[in-house]
């Protein structure tokens, strides 16, 4: 960063003001654009999205296995919540399980050596 002289100060402040105006303009444009809202699905769309039958979805709702929003008698599902729900059921691969076991064994050995 270079030092400014007193004579250069007005020009530098003007440049800074221009940059701030540009940043403000970008922020306002970004803010005015509609944010990607989470897609809301009804029970039929949810069944189609999950490739399950509607009765299966109702069953999962009754057993509280699936994230759901209820408004009156209608059920609604947020697509992002369904994706997260699917991800939470991910099974680890054999390699991941092996890696976890090895790291646990190593940490247990380190603890035993400290004692």
């Amino acid at each position: 960063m270079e030092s400014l002289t007193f004579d250069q100060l007005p020009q530098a402040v003007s440049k800074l003001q221009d940059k701030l105006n540009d940043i403000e303009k970008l922020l306002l444009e970004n803010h005015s654009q509609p944010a990607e809202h989470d897609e809301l699905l009804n029970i039929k769309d949810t069944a189609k999205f999950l490739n399950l039958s509607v009765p299966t979805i109702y069953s999962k709702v009754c057993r509280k296995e699936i994230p759901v929003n209820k408004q009156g008698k209608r059920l609604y599902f947020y697509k992002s919540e369904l994706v997260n729900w699917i991800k939470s059921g991910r099974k680890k691969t054999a390699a991941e399980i092996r890696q976890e076991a090895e790291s646990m064994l190593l940490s247990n050995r380190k603890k035993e050596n400290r004692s």
Side-chain angles (χ1 to χ4, degrees):
M1 190 162 118
E2 69 180 76
S3 298
L4 297 174
T5 65
F6 185 75
D7 294 334
Q8 295 171 324
L9 198 54
Q11 185 181 3
V13 170
S14 176
K15 247 185 180 177
L16 187 60
Q17 184 64 44
D18 290 341
K19 287 184 179 188
L20 281 174
N21 287 338
D22 291 343
I23 291 170
E24 184 179 27
K25 188 176 172 183
L26 286 172
L27 287 172
L28 288 173
E29 285 174 5
N30 215 9
H31 183 57
S32 65
Q33 293 174 350
E36 277 189 43
H37 64 282
D38 198 5
E39 189 175 350
L40 196 59
L41 305 175
N42 62 27
I43 191 130
K44 288 180 183 177
D45 294 334
T46 300
K48 186 176 179 180
F49 175 68
L50 297 176
N51 200 22
L52 297 171
S53 68
V54 170
T56 300
I57 300 295
Y58 278 119
S59 173
K60 289 187 176 298
V61 167
C62 286
R63 292 191 306 254
K64 299 183 186 210
E65 294 178 359
I66 191 169
V68 64
N69 297 281
K70 188 173 181 184
Q71 187 63 38
K73 292 183 179 183
R74 299 197 182 263
L75 301 176
Y76 298 98
F77 304 84
Y78 284 105
K79 199 170 190 176
S80 65
E81 288 180 351
L82 294 174
V83 170
N84 290 335
W85 173 71
I86 292 167
K87 287 179 181 178
S88 72
R90 181 182 177 276
K91 302 293 183 193
K92 294 180 180 176
T93 64
E96 290 171 328
I97 293 170
R98 194 176 310 109
Q99 180 64 35
E100 278 184 16
E102 288 172 2
S103 62
M104 285 179 71
L105 285 172
L106 280 173
S107 69
N108 285 342
R109 287 180 188 153
K110 287 179 183 178
K111 286 179 185 176
E112 287 174 3
N113 289 337
R114 290 181 193 155
S115 301

Short mmCIF file of all heavy atoms in Angstrom, two decimals, residues 15-37:
data_model
loop_
_atom_site.label_atom_id
_atom_site.label_comp_id
_atom_site.label_asym_id
_atom_site.label_seq_id
_atom_site.Cartn_x
_atom_site.Cartn_y
_atom_site.Cartn_z
N LYS A 15 -12.12 8.03 -5.11
CA LYS A 15 -12.01 6.66 -5.60
C LYS A 15 -12.64 5.68 -4.63
O LYS A 15 -13.36 4.75 -5.03
CB LYS A 15 -10.52 6.31 -5.76
CG LYS A 15 -10.06 6.11 -7.15
CD LYS A 15 -8.61 5.65 -7.12
CE LYS A 15 -8.11 5.43 -8.51
NZ LYS A 15 -6.72 5.07 -8.55
N LEU A 16 -12.38 5.90 -3.36
CA LEU A 16 -12.94 5.04 -2.32
C LEU A 16 -14.46 5.12 -2.32
O LEU A 16 -15.14 4.09 -2.21
CB LEU A 16 -12.38 5.46 -0.96
CG LEU A 16 -12.72 4.58 0.23
CD1 LEU A 16 -12.22 3.17 0.03
CD2 LEU A 16 -12.11 5.17 1.49
N GLN A 17 -14.99 6.32 -2.47
CA GLN A 17 -16.45 6.49 -2.52
C GLN A 17 -17.05 5.77 -3.72
O GLN A 17 -18.08 5.14 -3.61
CB GLN A 17 -16.80 7.99 -2.56
CG GLN A 17 -18.29 8.27 -2.52
CD GLN A 17 -18.93 7.83 -1.23
OE1 GLN A 17 -18.39 8.06 -0.15
NE2 GLN A 17 -20.08 7.21 -1.32
N ASP A 18 -16.38 5.84 -4.87
CA ASP A 18 -16.85 5.15 -6.06
C ASP A 18 -16.90 3.63 -5.83
O ASP A 18 -17.86 2.95 -6.21
CB ASP A 18 -15.97 5.46 -7.27
CG ASP A 18 -16.12 6.90 -7.75
OD1 ASP A 18 -17.14 7.53 -7.40
OD2 ASP A 18 -15.22 7.38 -8.49
N LYS A 19 -15.85 3.12 -5.21
CA LYS A 19 -15.80 1.68 -4.94
C LYS A 19 -16.89 1.27 -3.96
O LYS A 19 -17.54 0.23 -4.14
CB LYS A 19 -14.42 1.29 -4.40
CG LYS A 19 -13.35 1.29 -5.47
CD LYS A 19 -12.03 0.81 -4.93
CE LYS A 19 -10.99 0.82 -6.06
NZ LYS A 19 -9.74 0.20 -5.65
N LEU A 20 -17.12 2.08 -2.95
CA LEU A 20 -18.20 1.79 -2.00
C LEU A 20 -19.56 1.80 -2.69
O LEU A 20 -20.42 0.97 -2.40
CB LEU A 20 -18.18 2.80 -0.85
CG LEU A 20 -17.15 2.55 0.24
CD1 LEU A 20 -17.14 3.69 1.24
CD2 LEU A 20 -17.38 1.24 0.94
N ASN A 21 -19.75 2.76 -3.59
CA ASN A 21 -21.01 2.82 -4.33
C ASN A 21 -21.20 1.57 -5.18
O ASN A 21 -22.30 1.04 -5.28
CB ASN A 21 -21.06 4.07 -5.20
CG ASN A 21 -21.27 5.33 -4.39
OD1 ASN A 21 -21.76 5.28 -3.26
ND2 ASN A 21 -20.89 6.47 -4.95
N ASP A 22 -20.11 1.10 -5.81
CA ASP A 22 -20.18 -0.12 -6.61
C ASP A 22 -20.54 -1.33 -5.75
O ASP A 22 -21.37 -2.16 -6.13
CB ASP A 22 -18.86 -0.37 -7.34
CG ASP A 22 -18.58 0.63 -8.44
OD1 ASP A 22 -19.53 1.33 -8.86
OD2 ASP A 22 -17.41 0.72 -8.88
N ILE A 23 -19.93 -1.41 -4.58
CA ILE A 23 -20.21 -2.53 -3.66
C ILE A 23 -21.66 -2.47 -3.20
O ILE A 23 -22.35 -3.49 -3.18
CB ILE A 23 -19.24 -2.50 -2.46
CG1 ILE A 23 -17.82 -2.84 -2.92
CG2 ILE A 23 -19.70 -3.45 -1.37
CD1 ILE A 23 -16.76 -2.61 -1.86
N GLU A 24 -22.12 -1.30 -2.85
CA GLU A 24 -23.51 -1.13 -2.41
C GLU A 24 -24.48 -1.54 -3.52
O GLU A 24 -25.48 -2.22 -3.28
CB GLU A 24 -23.76 0.31 -1.99
CG GLU A 24 -25.16 0.55 -1.44
CD GLU A 24 -25.37 1.98 -1.01
OE1 GLU A 24 -24.71 2.88 -1.58
OE2 GLU A 24 -26.21 2.20 -0.13
N LYS A 25 -24.16 -1.14 -4.74
CA LYS A 25 -25.00 -1.48 -5.89
C LYS A 25 -25.07 -3.00 -6.08
O LYS A 25 -26.15 -3.56 -6.29
CB LYS A 25 -24.41 -0.81 -7.14
CG LYS A 25 -25.25 -0.90 -8.38
CD LYS A 25 -24.58 -0.10 -9.48
CE LYS A 25 -25.24 -0.29 -10.81
NZ LYS A 25 -24.55 0.43 -11.88
N LEU A 26 -23.93 -3.65 -5.97
CA LEU A 26 -23.89 -5.11 -6.10
C LEU A 26 -24.70 -5.79 -5.00
O LEU A 26 -25.45 -6.74 -5.25
CB LEU A 26 -22.45 -5.62 -6.06
CG LEU A 26 -21.61 -5.39 -7.31
CD1 LEU A 26 -20.15 -5.76 -7.04
CD2 LEU A 26 -22.16 -6.20 -8.47
N LEU A 27 -24.55 -5.29 -3.79
CA LEU A 27 -25.30 -5.88 -2.67
C LEU A 27 -26.80 -5.70 -2.85
O LEU A 27 -27.58 -6.61 -2.57
CB LEU A 27 -24.84 -5.26 -1.35
CG LEU A 27 -23.47 -5.69 -0.85
CD1 LEU A 27 -23.06 -4.86 0.36
CD2 LEU A 27 -23.46 -7.17 -0.51
N LEU A 28 -27.20 -4.53 -3.30
CA LEU A 28 -28.63 -4.28 -3.51
C LEU A 28 -29.18 -5.14 -4.63
O LEU A 28 -30.30 -5.65 -4.54
CB LEU A 28 -28.88 -2.79 -3.79
CG LEU A 28 -28.71 -1.86 -2.59
CD1 LEU A 28 -28.81 -0.41 -3.02
CD2 LEU A 28 -29.74 -2.17 -1.52
N GLU A 29 -28.41 -5.31 -5.69
CA GLU A 29 -28.85 -6.17 -6.80
C GLU A 29 -28.99 -7.61 -6.32
O GLU A 29 -29.94 -8.29 -6.65
CB GLU A 29 -27.84 -6.11 -7.95
CG GLU A 29 -27.90 -4.85 -8.76
CD GLU A 29 -26.78 -4.77 -9.80
OE1 GLU A 29 -26.03 -5.76 -9.96
OE2 GLU A 29 -26.67 -3.73 -10.46
N ASN A 30 -28.02 -8.03 -5.54
CA ASN A 30 -28.04 -9.39 -5.02
C ASN A 30 -29.21 -9.60 -4.08
O ASN A 30 -29.86 -10.63 -4.09
CB ASN A 30 -26.72 -9.66 -4.28
CG ASN A 30 -26.26 -11.08 -4.45
OD1 ASN A 30 -26.81 -11.83 -5.23
ND2 ASN A 30 -25.25 -11.45 -3.69
N HIS A 31 -29.49 -8.59 -3.26
CA HIS A 31 -30.56 -8.68 -2.28
C HIS A 31 -31.93 -8.61 -2.95
O HIS A 31 -32.88 -9.24 -2.50
CB HIS A 31 -30.43 -7.57 -1.25
CG HIS A 31 -31.45 -7.63 -0.16
ND1 HIS A 31 -31.61 -8.74 0.63
CD2 HIS A 31 -32.39 -6.74 0.26
CE1 HIS A 31 -32.58 -8.52 1.49
NE2 HIS A 31 -33.07 -7.31 1.28
N SER A 32 -32.04 -7.86 -4.02
CA SER A 32 -33.34 -7.68 -4.68
C SER A 32 -33.74 -8.91 -5.49
O SER A 32 -34.91 -9.11 -5.77
CB SER A 32 -33.33 -6.45 -5.57
OG SER A 32 -32.43 -6.61 -6.65
N GLN A 33 -32.76 -9.73 -5.86
CA GLN A 33 -33.09 -10.95 -6.58
C GLN A 33 -33.76 -11.91 -5.61
O GLN A 33 -33.32 -12.05 -4.47
CB GLN A 33 -31.84 -11.61 -7.15
CG GLN A 33 -31.18 -10.80 -8.24
CD GLN A 33 -29.86 -11.42 -8.67
OE1 GLN A 33 -29.35 -12.34 -8.06
NE2 GLN A 33 -29.30 -10.88 -9.73
N PRO A 34 -34.82 -12.56 -6.04
CA PRO A 34 -35.49 -13.47 -5.12
C PRO A 34 -34.55 -14.60 -4.72
O PRO A 34 -33.92 -15.22 -5.57
CB PRO A 34 -36.69 -13.99 -5.91
CG PRO A 34 -36.37 -13.70 -7.34
CD PRO A 34 -35.41 -12.55 -7.36
N ALA A 35 -34.45 -14.81 -3.44
CA ALA A 35 -33.59 -15.89 -2.96
C ALA A 35 -34.21 -17.22 -3.36
O ALA A 35 -35.43 -17.35 -3.43
CB ALA A 35 -33.47 -15.81 -1.45
N GLU A 36 -33.35 -18.17 -3.65
CA GLU A 36 -33.86 -19.49 -3.99
C GLU A 36 -34.60 -20.03 -2.78
O GLU A 36 -34.00 -20.29 -1.75
CB GLU A 36 -32.71 -20.43 -4.36
CG GLU A 36 -32.24 -20.28 -5.77
CD GLU A 36 -31.27 -21.38 -6.13
OE1 GLU A 36 -31.51 -22.55 -5.77
OE2 GLU A 36 -30.28 -21.05 -6.77
N HIS A 37 -35.89 -20.12 -2.92
CA HIS A 37 -36.65 -20.64 -1.79
C HIS A 37 -36.69 -22.15 -1.87
O HIS A 37 -36.57 -22.74 -2.93
CB HIS A 37 -38.05 -20.03 -1.76
CG HIS A 37 -38.88 -20.40 -2.95
ND1 HIS A 37 -38.73 -19.80 -4.17
CD2 HIS A 37 -39.85 -21.33 -3.10
CE1 HIS A 37 -39.59 -20.34 -5.03
NE2 HIS A 37 -40.26 -21.26 -4.41
#
